[in-house]
Amino acid sequence: MAITSEATANWSGSLTEGSGTVAAASGIGTFPVNWKARSEGSDSTTTPEELIAAAHSSCFNMALSNELTQAGFTPTSLTTTASVTFVPGTGITGSHLNVSATIPGISEAQFEEIANGAKSGCPVSQALAGIEITIEASLA
């Protein structure tokens, strides 16, 4: 069964002077967006890249959990930060996954191999195939 997720964005004004909002259909919130935050950074306004990072980190954790379970390991905790880079005039250039995990009974080599497989198998990684995706994986 296919599941379709939705978000709706509204915008007013020019690219550099305008602003808008993006809201998830699930009702989790409505978030402000603008060009200044996207091109210069902001602690209070989101960007498309931050939303992609949220999707990538959560999808990767699910893929990694699945890969670990299939290999006979049960993770105690997985913490992943995705850092998505945007260059004005160029676009999104990469996503870097930094994962720290607590997994009883796994070796560092096994974990790195499984984490790399999850990086490739994650549906969001596959959707981002046009950019470089890198990973740092460590056991806590």
Side-chain angles (χ1 to χ4, degrees):
M1 179 169 118
I3 302 296
T4 301
S5 297
E6 294 182 345
T8 300
N10 293 296
W11 188 267
S12 296
S14 69
L15 173 63
T16 57
E17 300 299 320
S19 65
T21 60
V22 61
S26 66
I28 62 167
T30 298
F31 308 98
V33 293
N34 64 43
W35 176 252
K36 184 174 180 177
R38 190 172 194 191
S39 62
E40 298 176 21
S42 173
D43 291 333
S44 61
T45 301
T46 195
T47 65
E49 293 72 33
E50 183 177 51
L51 298 171
I52 290 170
H56 202 188
S57 61
S58 59
C59 182
F60 173 78
N61 273 355
M62 289 181 206
L64 181 55
S65 177
N66 183 52
E67 295 279 334
L68 287 164
T69 300
Q70 289 180 0
F73 299 100
T74 302
T76 302
S77 70
L78 303 173
T79 302
T80 301
T81 300
S83 302
V84 175
T85 302
F86 173 76
V87 178
T90 301
I92 297 171
T93 59
S95 182
H96 179 72
L97 298 168
N98 189 341
V99 58
S100 175
T102 302
I103 306 160
I106 197 169
S107 72
E108 189 76 39
Q110 289 171 308
F111 176 58
E112 285 185 29
E113 181 180 339
I114 293 169
N116 277 301
K119 178 189 83 156
S120 299
C122 165
V124 172
S125 291
Q126 292 171 0
L128 298 174
I131 64 169
E132 180 180 22
I133 299 172
T134 56
I135 187 169
E136 283 179 67
S138 61
L139 294 171

